[in-house]
Amino acid sequence: MFSVLQKTIRPVQAARGVHQSAVKILKHPAPEDTVTASFGQFISEIKPQHLSPVVLQRSKRMVLDSIGVGLIGSTTDVFDLALQHCQHMYAPDFISSVYGRSNIRLSPTLASFVNGVATHSMDFDDTWHPATHPSGAVLPAVLALSDMMPASRKPSGLDFLLAFNVGIEIQGRLMRFSNEAHNIPKRFHPPTVVGPMGSAAACARLLSLDSSQSSHALAIAASLAGAPMANAATQSKPLHIGNASRLGLEAALLASRGLEASPLVLDAVAGVAGFSAFYEDYMPQPLHSPHDGHAFLLEEQDMGFKRFPAHLGMHWVADAAASVHKLLVGVGPGKVSPDQVQDILLRVPLSKYINRPFPESEHEARHSFQFNACTALLDGEVTVQSFTPGAISRPELCALLSRVRLEHPHDNPANFNVMYGEVQVTLVGGDILKGRCDTFYGHWRNPLTNESLRKKFRNNAEVVLPSAKVERLIEAVDELDRLDDCQHLLSQLQ
């Protein structure tokens, strides 16, 4: 809120022709009156004791899952390209560890970048509502910054988790300031909008920045945010997460050195675009002090974890198609053949960037309603192997893709909280089989069990690490809130 000072300017000399008039002069708003300042104050004042058992448990699950998808992501081409770029273009700085590379270390900012790229390289990372990928933007930065700290000043496991949760919370709060943000995005990729802010907030907390410095860290990060949705389904999309993590860390480090930015970046200032530039219906609210009984959003809403590496929207149609697969196998020869199928109708939300009838790459396939439905129809499931070149180019899969039609029912909005996926298969003989999924297994309303989450982690991590080290990682994350410092976790990643 702006406070307004009324000042009357009286005529000094009649000869000058100055008439009496009232002029409104805007005072600089008091820090405690701004949304931006409230966020900075929250970041600086939050303490480990404000983390409830539910938040601790859920955030540890997020840390474990994110490490796992980062490890398997370190086997991808896009990760190799990002790593080679950092090694060739920047001077060596052997500080922070890199996923899947025991003999490579980079500067903290570059390590957070490549590890962020790894996390999203297969689109396997967690998703929240309103839609964003929160962990990938925060965890690599917190890990890299922890690596940077001297042995005598390593954060405790609780401090590590506090910083991580601050980064998640800030992203969630910012996303809730816009109704537009609740829907599947059309303009900006959300992790590039709120991700740098979450990374900056987490790093500001880990660096123990004061409220003013924390506000500046957010404002600096806002100048480094934003990427268009046109690069979805390309090799550049994983760079979005890497940049969010890296640039948020850089923003916090710059703020720690005294760099300043707008004190109103999160406020809605008429005629001046701050964070509102990303969302036309942006309506911010102050973040209450943690001493006033603050409840983390993660307490209210769990995280969505993916069972296979593809855009979240694919999980509805894959589950629906898998149920039709079971029906087909039950009445057929034990294997689905394209010769059985005359027509495939998908009833899905209207979203152009995930409507890809004939994907030509693994990244397009991960963003294709048609591909994921037909894969589940053929195989009964979608897996990591479903996106290999051989699997994508299968003649039987291509045959099914040519028979797919899409409908966009009015009651099926592009919103991960209320959408559904429906698959209707018309057989050559005229029979019609239907499958529908309203809430897939792994959605925040139907979360993975700890057993399923650990199974996913083992499957991912064991691609690059020996089983014994994988088990030690599970143990380190499970005990993180009880460790005097986070070195045990860091050492397992090195």
Side-chain angles (χ1 to χ4, degrees):
M1 295 288 292
F2 288 111
S3 55
V4 179
L5 174 66
Q6 296 280 356
K7 182 178 179 181
T8 301
I9 299 179
R10 301 186 182 279
V12 179
Q13 294 179 356
R16 293 181 180 174
V18 180
H19 299 284
Q20 183 173 350
S21 62
V23 178
K24 292 182 179 180
I25 300 177
L26 292 180
K27 292 175 62 179
H28 194 282
E32 61 270 18
D33 292 336
T34 70
V35 173
T36 307
S38 74
F39 272 65
Q41 185 176 3
F42 174 86
I43 293 167
S44 67
E45 293 184 356
I46 196 78
K47 297 290 188 291
Q49 56 263 34
H50 294 120
L51 299 174
S52 71
V54 170
V55 170
L56 284 171
Q57 178 62 19
R58 288 179 173 177
S59 59
K60 286 193 294 185
R61 281 162 52 91
M62 294 166 67
V63 169
L64 185 69
D65 183 72
S66 189
I67 291 173
V69 300
L71 287 168
I72 193 172
S74 70
T75 65
T76 61
D77 291 341
V78 64
F79 174 82
D80 280 337
L81 290 172
L83 181 58
Q84 289 170 27
H85 171 73
C86 291
Q87 289 178 299
H88 294 166
M89 293 300 296
Y90 300 94
D93 201 348
F94 305 101
I95 295 176
S96 299
S97 60
V98 173
Y99 285 148
R101 302 291 192 277
S102 60
N103 60 336
I104 295 177
R105 283 175 176 266
L106 299 173
S107 70
T109 54
L110 295 184
S112 63
F113 170 68
V114 297
N115 286 342
V117 170
T119 302
H120 197 59
S121 63
M122 301 173 75
D123 221 309
F124 213 174
D125 43 336
D126 56 25
T127 308
W128 216 10
H129 179 74
T132 193
H133 302 287
S135 294
V138 173
L139 184 61
V142 175
L143 287 169
L145 188 54
S146 298
D147 269 333
M148 183 177 116
M149 294 179 171
S152 60
R153 293 179 52 202
K154 293 293 185 196
S156 69
L158 262 178
D159 287 335
F160 182 98
L161 285 171
L162 177 64
F164 177 78
N165 274 288
V166 166
I168 303 305
E169 179 75 359
I170 294 305
Q171 293 179 79
R173 293 289 170 179
L174 291 173
M175 294 294 287
R176 281 162 176 77
F177 292 160
S178 163
N179 288 324
E180 177 187 339
H182 285 68
N183 299 322
I184 295 176
K186 297 178 181 178
R187 295 191 302 153
F188 295 102
H189 191 205
T192 74
V193 176
V194 297
M197 313 295 283
S199 173
C203 295
R205 176 61 266 171
L206 205 60
L207 290 166
S208 299
L209 300 190
D210 63 29
S211 59
S212 177
Q213 291 172 312
S214 297
S215 296
H216 287 306
L218 293 176
I220 296 166
S223 281
L224 307 174
M229 286 304 302
N231 270 327
T234 73
Q235 282 190 318
S236 286
K237 190 187 179 199
L239 302 185
H240 295 176
I241 304 293
N243 278 330
S245 187
R246 169 190 185 176
L247 297 174
L249 171 54
E250 289 191 352
L253 291 173
L254 287 167
S256 75
R257 294 183 180 276
L259 187 71
E260 297 182 349
S262 169
L264 298 171
V265 73
L266 298 182
D267 293 75
V269 180
V272 180
F275 197 75
S276 60
F278 297 110
Y279 297 109
E280 293 180 352
D281 61 349
Y282 180 73
M283 296 187 65
Q285 296 292 325
L287 191 52
H288 296 302
S289 167
H291 305 300
D292 295 334
H294 176 84
F296 279 82
L297 293 173
L298 192 57
E299 178 107 34
E300 304 167 13
Q301 180 181 288
D302 206 346
M303 193 61 52
F305 297 104
K306 299 177 180 178
R307 301 194 323 276
F308 57 90
H311 182 278
L312 193 74
M314 305 303 107
H315 289 65
W316 279 270
V317 292
D319 276 15
S323 65
V324 176
H325 171 90
K326 289 182 181 178
L327 296 173
L328 281 169
V329 169
V331 299
K335 181 180 178 182
V336 176
S337 168
D339 295 337
Q340 299 172 264
V341 177
Q342 177 177 306
D343 179 77
I344 302 169
L345 175 63
L346 308 182
R347 295 188 174 96
V348 293
L350 177 61
S351 182
K352 290 185 178 180
Y353 84 97
I354 44 179
N355 175 8
R356 299 178 183 273
F358 301 99
E360 297 180 356
S361 70
E362 61 168 299
H363 297 283
E364 290 187 358
R366 298 183 200 281
H367 295 75
S368 166
F369 279 132
Q370 296 89 337
F371 175 88
N372 287 274
C374 289
T375 296
L377 192 61
L378 272 179
D379 305 329
E381 62 181 351
V382 182
T383 68
V384 171
Q385 287 70 37
S386 300
F387 300 94
T388 60
I392 292 174
S393 61
R394 288 180 290 171
E396 59 269 33
L397 179 64
C398 295
L400 287 182
L401 287 172
S402 67
R403 294 163 201 176
V404 176
R405 297 181 293 120
L406 263 60
E407 284 185 359
H408 308 296
H410 293 299
D411 67 344
N412 197 4
N415 182 306
F416 291 143
N417 208 37
V418 295
M419 66 175 278
Y420 63 85
E422 193 170 281
V423 177
Q424 177 179 300
V425 176
T426 302
L427 302 182
V428 172
D431 290 339
I432 296 177
L433 304 177
K434 291 184 180 181
R436 175 172 168 137
C437 176
D438 294 289
T439 304
F440 65 86
Y441 181 43
H443 191 277
W444 41 88
R445 289 194 302 270
N446 186 20
L448 297 182
T449 63
N450 285 337
E451 181 181 3
S452 293
L453 191 77
R454 290 185 176 191
K455 180 180 179 181
K456 175 188 173 182
F457 177 78
R458 289 186 177 102
N459 289 341
N460 288 339
E462 287 178 357
V463 173
V464 295
L465 295 179
S467 296
K469 197 157 195 174
V470 169
E471 296 306 313
R472 289 197 296 271
L473 263 173
I474 293 174
E475 177 186 300
V477 174
D478 187 53
E479 295 179 350
L480 195 51
D481 54 323
R482 300 185 292 276
L483 297 178
D484 291 336
D485 68 53
C486 61
Q487 183 56 47
H488 181 51
L489 172 63
L490 299 175
S491 65
Q492 300 309 316
L493 292 171
Q494 294 164 4

